[in-house]
Amino acid sequence: MLESGCKAVKEGVLEKRSDGLLQLWKKKRCILTEEGLLLASPKQQPQPQPQQPAQQQQQQQPPGAEPAAKIKELHFSNMKTVDCVERKGKYVYFTVVMAEGKEIDFRCAQEQGWNAAITLQMVQYKNRQAILAVRSTRQKQQHLAQQPHGPRIRSASNSA
């Protein structure tokens, strides 16, 4: 279990295409949770640290590790789709499309199945959210139905 309270479903290394002019592939340490995908540099500790002063964070980090502030979370609530672009050579190339339209390109070895694992977790997350929304609507409807109705006042047009 991560410190954020989310259970890690899958951990490993993915390659992410950089946003720069050269668009190089950079390795990222990834943790797939029930809430989203955490991305960090390969040397960084895998779990996010709670907010602490920088001195304390540096003391807790193993030698050579980067500070936890560089962990990026791609939350499923902000994801639209995971598109499998192509299988080429030993790699699967896929794109995570965010709700605001931003596209993030990844690649991994075909046998790792990251694109399928991310897609499955995203669908499960969206299903949980839909179930919660339906339950909330039903509870509101039941609450309204159980409230006693006060005396009805007839308007002047109806009483004639």
Side-chain angles (χ1 to χ4, degrees), residues 3-31:
E3 289 182 23
S4 62
C6 295
K7 186 177 104 177
V9 176
K10 183 177 177 85
E11 293 184 47
V13 176
L14 265 175
E15 291 184 57
K16 177 186 170 292
R17 191 186 330 237
S18 66
D19 294 331
L21 182 63
L22 298 177
Q23 294 189 342
L24 302 171
W25 290 101
K26 295 187 176 183
K27 291 185 187 225
K28 296 289 180 184
R29 176 142 178 76
C30 298
I31 301 173

PDB file of all heavy atoms in Angstrom, residues 3-31:
ATOM      1  N   GLU A   3       1.737   5.348   0.499  1.00  0.00           N
ATOM      2  CA  GLU A   3       1.411   6.293   1.569  1.00  0.00           C
ATOM      3  C   GLU A   3       0.157   7.101   1.243  1.00  0.00           C
ATOM      4  O   GLU A   3      -0.525   7.580   2.117  1.00  0.00           O
ATOM      5  CB  GLU A   3       2.587   7.216   1.827  1.00  0.00           C
ATOM      6  CG  GLU A   3       3.730   6.486   2.497  1.00  0.00           C
ATOM      7  CD  GLU A   3       4.882   7.418   2.809  1.00  0.00           C
ATOM      8  OE1 GLU A   3       4.666   8.627   2.926  1.00  0.00           O
ATOM      9  OE2 GLU A   3       5.997   6.911   2.951  1.00  0.00           O
ATOM     10  N   SER A   4      -0.158   7.246  -0.054  1.00  0.00           N
ATOM     11  CA  SER A   4      -1.351   7.991  -0.451  1.00  0.00           C
ATOM     12  C   SER A   4      -2.622   7.181  -0.179  1.00  0.00           C
ATOM     13  O   SER A   4      -3.717   7.689  -0.324  1.00  0.00           O
ATOM     14  CB  SER A   4      -1.275   8.356  -1.935  1.00  0.00           C
ATOM     15  OG  SER A   4      -1.229   7.177  -2.720  1.00  0.00           O
ATOM     16  N   GLY A   5      -2.479   5.904   0.197  1.00  0.00           N
ATOM     17  CA  GLY A   5      -3.626   5.068   0.508  1.00  0.00           C
ATOM     18  C   GLY A   5      -4.065   4.200  -0.654  1.00  0.00           C
ATOM     19  O   GLY A   5      -4.943   3.369  -0.511  1.00  0.00           O
ATOM     20  N   CYS A   6      -3.467   4.368  -1.817  1.00  0.00           N
ATOM     21  CA  CYS A   6      -3.828   3.579  -2.989  1.00  0.00           C
ATOM     22  C   CYS A   6      -2.975   2.323  -3.057  1.00  0.00           C
ATOM     23  O   CYS A   6      -1.793   2.356  -2.758  1.00  0.00           O
ATOM     24  CB  CYS A   6      -3.614   4.381  -4.272  1.00  0.00           C
ATOM     25  SG  CYS A   6      -4.686   5.794  -4.401  1.00  0.00           S
ATOM     26  N   LYS A   7      -3.598   1.245  -3.480  1.00  0.00           N
ATOM     27  CA  LYS A   7      -2.900  -0.019  -3.624  1.00  0.00           C
ATOM     28  C   LYS A   7      -2.181  -0.058  -4.977  1.00  0.00           C
ATOM     29  O   LYS A   7      -2.767   0.285  -5.999  1.00  0.00           O
ATOM     30  CB  LYS A   7      -3.918  -1.157  -3.535  1.00  0.00           C
ATOM     31  CG  LYS A   7      -3.313  -2.543  -3.517  1.00  0.00           C
ATOM     32  CD  LYS A   7      -4.401  -3.579  -3.351  1.00  0.00           C
ATOM     33  CE  LYS A   7      -4.623  -4.227  -4.693  1.00  0.00           C
ATOM     34  NZ  LYS A   7      -5.590  -5.300  -4.687  1.00  0.00           N
ATOM     35  N   ALA A   8      -0.911  -0.467  -4.973  1.00  0.00           N
ATOM     36  CA  ALA A   8      -0.165  -0.612  -6.222  1.00  0.00           C
ATOM     37  C   ALA A   8      -0.635  -1.872  -6.934  1.00  0.00           C
ATOM     38  O   ALA A   8      -0.624  -2.961  -6.364  1.00  0.00           O
ATOM     39  CB  ALA A   8       1.328  -0.675  -5.948  1.00  0.00           C
ATOM     40  N   VAL A   9      -1.065  -1.727  -8.181  1.00  0.00           N
ATOM     41  CA  VAL A   9      -1.545  -2.845  -8.983  1.00  0.00           C
ATOM     42  C   VAL A   9      -0.411  -3.414  -9.824  1.00  0.00           C
ATOM     43  O   VAL A   9      -0.306  -4.614 -10.006  1.00  0.00           O
ATOM     44  CB  VAL A   9      -2.715  -2.389  -9.891  1.00  0.00           C
ATOM     45  CG1 VAL A   9      -3.176  -3.500 -10.802  1.00  0.00           C
ATOM     46  CG2 VAL A   9      -3.868  -1.869  -9.046  1.00  0.00           C
ATOM     47  N   LYS A  10       0.459  -2.528 -10.331  1.00  0.00           N
ATOM     48  CA  LYS A  10       1.573  -2.941 -11.182  1.00  0.00           C
ATOM     49  C   LYS A  10       2.686  -1.918 -11.025  1.00  0.00           C
ATOM     50  O   LYS A  10       2.421  -0.727 -10.900  1.00  0.00           O
ATOM     51  CB  LYS A  10       1.096  -3.007 -12.639  1.00  0.00           C
ATOM     52  CG  LYS A  10       2.128  -3.482 -13.643  1.00  0.00           C
ATOM     53  CD  LYS A  10       1.499  -3.559 -15.041  1.00  0.00           C
ATOM     54  CE  LYS A  10       2.493  -3.964 -16.101  1.00  0.00           C
ATOM     55  NZ  LYS A  10       2.656  -5.399 -16.236  1.00  0.00           N
ATOM     56  N   GLU A  11       3.920  -2.389 -11.016  1.00  0.00           N
ATOM     57  CA  GLU A  11       5.082  -1.511 -10.923  1.00  0.00           C
ATOM     58  C   GLU A  11       6.097  -1.912 -11.974  1.00  0.00           C
ATOM     59  O   GLU A  11       6.207  -3.088 -12.321  1.00  0.00           O
ATOM     60  CB  GLU A  11       5.746  -1.617  -9.549  1.00  0.00           C
ATOM     61  CG  GLU A  11       4.919  -1.095  -8.408  1.00  0.00           C
ATOM     62  CD  GLU A  11       5.669  -1.140  -7.087  1.00  0.00           C
ATOM     63  OE1 GLU A  11       6.838  -0.698  -7.058  1.00  0.00           O
ATOM     64  OE2 GLU A  11       5.086  -1.605  -6.097  1.00  0.00           O
ATOM     65  N   GLY A  12       6.839  -0.932 -12.453  1.00  0.00           N
ATOM     66  CA  GLY A  12       7.878  -1.236 -13.419  1.00  0.00           C
ATOM     67  C   GLY A  12       8.342   0.010 -14.138  1.00  0.00           C
ATOM     68  O   GLY A  12       8.093   1.131 -13.702  1.00  0.00           O
ATOM     69  N   VAL A  13       9.021  -0.207 -15.269  1.00  0.00           N
ATOM     70  CA  VAL A  13       9.581   0.901 -16.034  1.00  0.00           C
ATOM     71  C   VAL A  13       8.863   0.999 -17.376  1.00  0.00           C
ATOM     72  O   VAL A  13       8.660   0.006 -18.062  1.00  0.00           O
ATOM     73  CB  VAL A  13      11.100   0.708 -16.253  1.00  0.00           C
ATOM     74  CG1 VAL A  13      11.671   1.805 -17.127  1.00  0.00           C
ATOM     75  CG2 VAL A  13      11.822   0.670 -14.911  1.00  0.00           C
ATOM     76  N   LEU A  14       8.456   2.211 -17.704  1.00  0.00           N
ATOM     77  CA  LEU A  14       7.874   2.551 -19.002  1.00  0.00           C
ATOM     78  C   LEU A  14       8.762   3.610 -19.625  1.00  0.00           C
ATOM     79  O   LEU A  14       9.460   4.336 -18.910  1.00  0.00           O
ATOM     80  CB  LEU A  14       6.487   3.180 -18.809  1.00  0.00           C
ATOM     81  CG  LEU A  14       5.260   2.318 -18.891  1.00  0.00           C
ATOM     82  CD1 LEU A  14       4.027   3.136 -18.543  1.00  0.00           C
ATOM     83  CD2 LEU A  14       5.088   1.700 -20.238  1.00  0.00           C
ATOM     84  N   GLU A  15       8.721   3.722 -20.930  1.00  0.00           N
ATOM     85  CA  GLU A  15       9.418   4.819 -21.581  1.00  0.00           C
ATOM     86  C   GLU A  15       8.387   5.829 -22.044  1.00  0.00           C
ATOM     87  O   GLU A  15       7.371   5.469 -22.634  1.00  0.00           O
ATOM     88  CB  GLU A  15      10.244   4.308 -22.761  1.00  0.00           C
ATOM     89  CG  GLU A  15      11.427   3.479 -22.319  1.00  0.00           C
ATOM     90  CD  GLU A  15      12.297   3.045 -23.477  1.00  0.00           C
ATOM     91  OE1 GLU A  15      12.773   3.922 -24.227  1.00  0.00           O
ATOM     92  OE2 GLU A  15      12.484   1.833 -23.638  1.00  0.00           O
ATOM     93  N   LYS A  16       8.645   7.100 -21.744  1.00  0.00           N
ATOM     94  CA  LYS A  16       7.730   8.193 -22.086  1.00  0.00           C
ATOM     95  C   LYS A  16       8.431   9.100 -23.081  1.00  0.00           C
ATOM     96  O   LYS A  16       9.598   9.441 -22.904  1.00  0.00           O
ATOM     97  CB  LYS A  16       7.366   8.975 -20.822  1.00  0.00           C
ATOM     98  CG  LYS A  16       6.472  10.170 -21.042  1.00  0.00           C
ATOM     99  CD  LYS A  16       6.307  10.936 -19.721  1.00  0.00           C
ATOM    100  CE  LYS A  16       5.632  12.258 -19.909  1.00  0.00           C
ATOM    101  NZ  LYS A  16       6.396  13.238 -20.639  1.00  0.00           N
ATOM    102  N   ARG A  17       7.704   9.499 -24.131  1.00  0.00           N
ATOM    103  CA  ARG A  17       8.288  10.411 -25.109  1.00  0.00           C
ATOM    104  C   ARG A  17       8.284  11.818 -24.528  1.00  0.00           C
ATOM    105  O   ARG A  17       7.256  12.291 -24.033  1.00  0.00           O
ATOM    106  CB  ARG A  17       7.514  10.398 -26.424  1.00  0.00           C
ATOM    107  CG  ARG A  17       8.278  11.136 -27.516  1.00  0.00           C
ATOM    108  CD  ARG A  17       7.557  11.311 -28.830  1.00  0.00           C
ATOM    109  NE  ARG A  17       6.617  10.317 -29.198  1.00  0.00           N
ATOM    110  CZ  ARG A  17       6.674   9.619 -30.343  1.00  0.00           C
ATOM    111  NH1 ARG A  17       7.669   9.785 -31.177  1.00  0.00           N
ATOM    112  NH2 ARG A  17       5.731   8.762 -30.633  1.00  0.00           N
ATOM    113  N   SER A  18       9.432  12.494 -24.579  1.00  0.00           N
ATOM    114  CA  SER A  18       9.534  13.844 -24.017  1.00  0.00           C
ATOM    115  C   SER A  18       8.771  14.837 -24.891  1.00  0.00           C
ATOM    116  O   SER A  18       8.513  14.585 -26.077  1.00  0.00           O
ATOM    117  CB  SER A  18      10.992  14.263 -23.888  1.00  0.00           C
ATOM    118  OG  SER A  18      11.579  14.381 -25.175  1.00  0.00           O
ATOM    119  N   ASP A  19       8.399  15.966 -24.290  1.00  0.00           N
ATOM    120  CA  ASP A  19       7.651  16.998 -25.002  1.00  0.00           C
ATOM    121  C   ASP A  19       8.554  17.902 -25.828  1.00  0.00           C
ATOM    122  O   ASP A  19       8.069  18.685 -26.629  1.00  0.00           O
ATOM    123  CB  ASP A  19       6.872  17.869 -23.997  1.00  0.00           C
ATOM    124  CG  ASP A  19       5.781  17.096 -23.283  1.00  0.00           C
ATOM    125  OD1 ASP A  19       5.248  16.143 -23.885  1.00  0.00           O
ATOM    126  OD2 ASP A  19       5.460  17.438 -22.136  1.00  0.00           O
ATOM    127  N   GLY A  20       9.844  17.797 -25.638  1.00  0.00           N
ATOM    128  CA  GLY A  20      10.786  18.708 -26.289  1.00  0.00           C
ATOM    129  C   GLY A  20      10.855  18.542 -27.796  1.00  0.00           C
ATOM    130  O   GLY A  20      10.179  17.707 -28.404  1.00  0.00           O
ATOM    131  N   LEU A  21      11.706  19.340 -28.409  1.00  0.00           N
ATOM    132  CA  LEU A  21      11.876  19.347 -29.853  1.00  0.00           C
ATOM    133  C   LEU A  21      12.343  17.991 -30.379  1.00  0.00           C
ATOM    134  O   LEU A  21      11.872  17.515 -31.403  1.00  0.00           O
ATOM    135  CB  LEU A  21      12.872  20.452 -30.237  1.00  0.00           C
ATOM    136  CG  LEU A  21      13.128  20.641 -31.722  1.00  0.00           C
ATOM    137  CD1 LEU A  21      11.844  21.079 -32.427  1.00  0.00           C
ATOM    138  CD2 LEU A  21      14.223  21.661 -31.934  1.00  0.00           C
ATOM    139  N   LEU A  22      13.252  17.343 -29.660  1.00  0.00           N
ATOM    140  CA  LEU A  22      13.806  16.063 -30.124  1.00  0.00           C
ATOM    141  C   LEU A  22      12.893  14.873 -29.823  1.00  0.00           C
ATOM    142  O   LEU A  22      13.033  13.826 -30.428  1.00  0.00           O
ATOM    143  CB  LEU A  22      15.183  15.828 -29.494  1.00  0.00           C
ATOM    144  CG  LEU A  22      16.260  16.859 -29.853  1.00  0.00           C
ATOM    145  CD1 LEU A  22      17.544  16.556 -29.111  1.00  0.00           C
ATOM    146  CD2 LEU A  22      16.490  16.884 -31.347  1.00  0.00           C
ATOM    147  N   GLN A  23      11.990  15.024 -28.905  1.00  0.00           N
ATOM    148  CA  GLN A  23      11.051  13.971 -28.492  1.00  0.00           C
ATOM    149  C   GLN A  23      11.771  12.635 -28.223  1.00  0.00           C
ATOM    150  O   GLN A  23      11.469  11.604 -28.813  1.00  0.00           O
ATOM    151  CB  GLN A  23       9.953  13.782 -29.537  1.00  0.00           C
ATOM    152  CG  GLN A  23       9.062  14.999 -29.655  1.00  0.00           C
ATOM    153  CD  GLN A  23       7.849  14.772 -30.516  1.00  0.00           C
ATOM    154  OE1 GLN A  23       7.791  13.841 -31.305  1.00  0.00           O
ATOM    155  NE2 GLN A  23       6.857  15.618 -30.349  1.00  0.00           N
ATOM    156  N   LEU A  24      12.690  12.686 -27.277  1.00  0.00           N
ATOM    157  CA  LEU A  24      13.453  11.504 -26.899  1.00  0.00           C
ATOM    158  C   LEU A  24      12.623  10.611 -25.980  1.00  0.00           C
ATOM    159  O   LEU A  24      11.734  11.082 -25.272  1.00  0.00           O
ATOM    160  CB  LEU A  24      14.740  11.929 -26.178  1.00  0.00           C
ATOM    161  CG  LEU A  24      15.671  12.841 -26.978  1.00  0.00           C
ATOM    162  CD1 LEU A  24      16.784  13.367 -26.091  1.00  0.00           C
ATOM    163  CD2 LEU A  24      16.235  12.103 -28.173  1.00  0.00           C
ATOM    164  N   TRP A  25      12.950   9.324 -25.975  1.00  0.00           N
ATOM    165  CA  TRP A  25      12.284   8.384 -25.062  1.00  0.00           C
ATOM    166  C   TRP A  25      13.050   8.371 -23.748  1.00  0.00           C
ATOM    167  O   TRP A  25      14.254   8.137 -23.724  1.00  0.00           O
ATOM    168  CB  TRP A  25      12.245   6.977 -25.666  1.00  0.00           C
ATOM    169  CG  TRP A  25      11.314   6.892 -26.826  1.00  0.00           C
ATOM    170  CD1 TRP A  25      11.648   6.899 -28.147  1.00  0.00           C
ATOM    171  CD2 TRP A  25       9.897   6.813 -26.777  1.00  0.00           C
ATOM    172  NE1 TRP A  25      10.518   6.829 -28.914  1.00  0.00           N
ATOM    173  CE2 TRP A  25       9.423   6.766 -28.109  1.00  0.00           C
ATOM    174  CE3 TRP A  25       8.959   6.767 -25.741  1.00  0.00           C
ATOM    175  CZ2 TRP A  25       8.066   6.687 -28.421  1.00  0.00           C
ATOM    176  CZ3 TRP A  25       7.615   6.684 -26.053  1.00  0.00           C
ATOM    177  CH2 TRP A  25       7.178   6.636 -27.375  1.00  0.00           C
ATOM    178  N   LYS A  26      12.345   8.646 -22.648  1.00  0.00           N
ATOM    179  CA  LYS A  26      12.970   8.671 -21.328  1.00  0.00           C
ATOM    180  C   LYS A  26      12.315   7.622 -20.447  1.00  0.00           C
ATOM    181  O   LYS A  26      11.086   7.508 -20.397  1.00  0.00           O
ATOM    182  CB  LYS A  26      12.815  10.053 -20.694  1.00  0.00           C
ATOM    183  CG  LYS A  26      13.551  11.130 -21.462  1.00  0.00           C
ATOM    184  CD  LYS A  26      13.516  12.436 -20.739  1.00  0.00           C
ATOM    185  CE  LYS A  26      14.348  13.458 -21.500  1.00  0.00           C
ATOM    186  NZ  LYS A  26      14.409  14.726 -20.808  1.00  0.00           N
ATOM    187  N   LYS A  27      13.149   6.862 -19.727  1.00  0.00           N
ATOM    188  CA  LYS A  27      12.622   5.841 -18.820  1.00  0.00           C
ATOM    189  C   LYS A  27      11.980   6.494 -17.609  1.00  0.00           C
ATOM    190  O   LYS A  27      12.514   7.450 -17.055  1.00  0.00           O
ATOM    191  CB  LYS A  27      13.736   4.895 -18.372  1.00  0.00           C
ATOM    192  CG  LYS A  27      14.219   4.020 -19.502  1.00  0.00           C
ATOM    193  CD  LYS A  27      15.224   3.007 -19.032  1.00  0.00           C
ATOM    194  CE  LYS A  27      15.762   2.308 -20.247  1.00  0.00           C
ATOM    195  NZ  LYS A  27      15.870   0.922 -20.158  1.00  0.00           N
ATOM    196  N   LYS A  28      10.843   5.961 -17.215  1.00  0.00           N
ATOM    197  CA  LYS A  28      10.116   6.437 -16.036  1.00  0.00           C
ATOM    198  C   LYS A  28       9.744   5.247 -15.179  1.00  0.00           C
ATOM    199  O   LYS A  28       9.307   4.212 -15.678  1.00  0.00           O
ATOM    200  CB  LYS A  28       8.827   7.174 -16.439  1.00  0.00           C
ATOM    201  CG  LYS A  28       9.058   8.440 -17.226  1.00  0.00           C
ATOM    202  CD  LYS A  28       9.639   9.509 -16.356  1.00  0.00           C
ATOM    203  CE  LYS A  28       9.876  10.790 -17.129  1.00  0.00           C
ATOM    204  NZ  LYS A  28      10.529  11.795 -16.333  1.00  0.00           N
ATOM    205  N   ARG A  29       9.944   5.402 -13.883  1.00  0.00           N
ATOM    206  CA  ARG A  29       9.483   4.393 -12.930  1.00  0.00           C
ATOM    207  C   ARG A  29       7.989   4.627 -12.769  1.00  0.00           C
ATOM    208  O   ARG A  29       7.542   5.729 -12.485  1.00  0.00           O
ATOM    209  CB  ARG A  29      10.204   4.563 -11.606  1.00  0.00           C
ATOM    210  CG  ARG A  29       9.701   3.624 -10.541  1.00  0.00           C
ATOM    211  CD  ARG A  29      10.833   3.125  -9.678  1.00  0.00           C
ATOM    212  NE  ARG A  29      10.350   2.276  -8.630  1.00  0.00           N
ATOM    213  CZ  ARG A  29       9.968   1.016  -8.811  1.00  0.00           C
ATOM    214  NH1 ARG A  29       9.988   0.487  -9.995  1.00  0.00           N
ATOM    215  NH2 ARG A  29       9.551   0.289  -7.797  1.00  0.00           N
ATOM    216  N   CYS A  30       7.193   3.590 -13.000  1.00  0.00           N
ATOM    217  CA  CYS A  30       5.742   3.738 -12.991  1.00  0.00           C
ATOM    218  C   CYS A  30       5.095   2.822 -11.964  1.00  0.00           C
ATOM    219  O   CYS A  30       5.519   1.676 -11.770  1.00  0.00           O
ATOM    220  CB  CYS A  30       5.172   3.397 -14.365  1.00  0.00           C
ATOM    221  SG  CYS A  30       5.769   4.496 -15.629  1.00  0.00           S
ATOM    222  N   ILE A  31       4.090   3.371 -11.320  1.00  0.00           N
ATOM    223  CA  ILE A  31       3.265   2.590 -10.396  1.00  0.00           C
ATOM    224  C   ILE A  31       1.828   2.804 -10.818  1.00  0.00           C
ATOM    225  O   ILE A  31       1.329   3.929 -10.830  1.00  0.00           O
ATOM    226  CB  ILE A  31       3.451   3.033  -8.938  1.00  0.00           C
ATOM    227  CG1 ILE A  31       4.908   2.882  -8.527  1.00  0.00           C
ATOM    228  CG2 ILE A  31       2.537   2.222  -8.018  1.00  0.00           C
ATOM    229  CD1 ILE A  31       5.222   3.449  -7.165  1.00  0.00           C
TER     230      ILE A  31
END
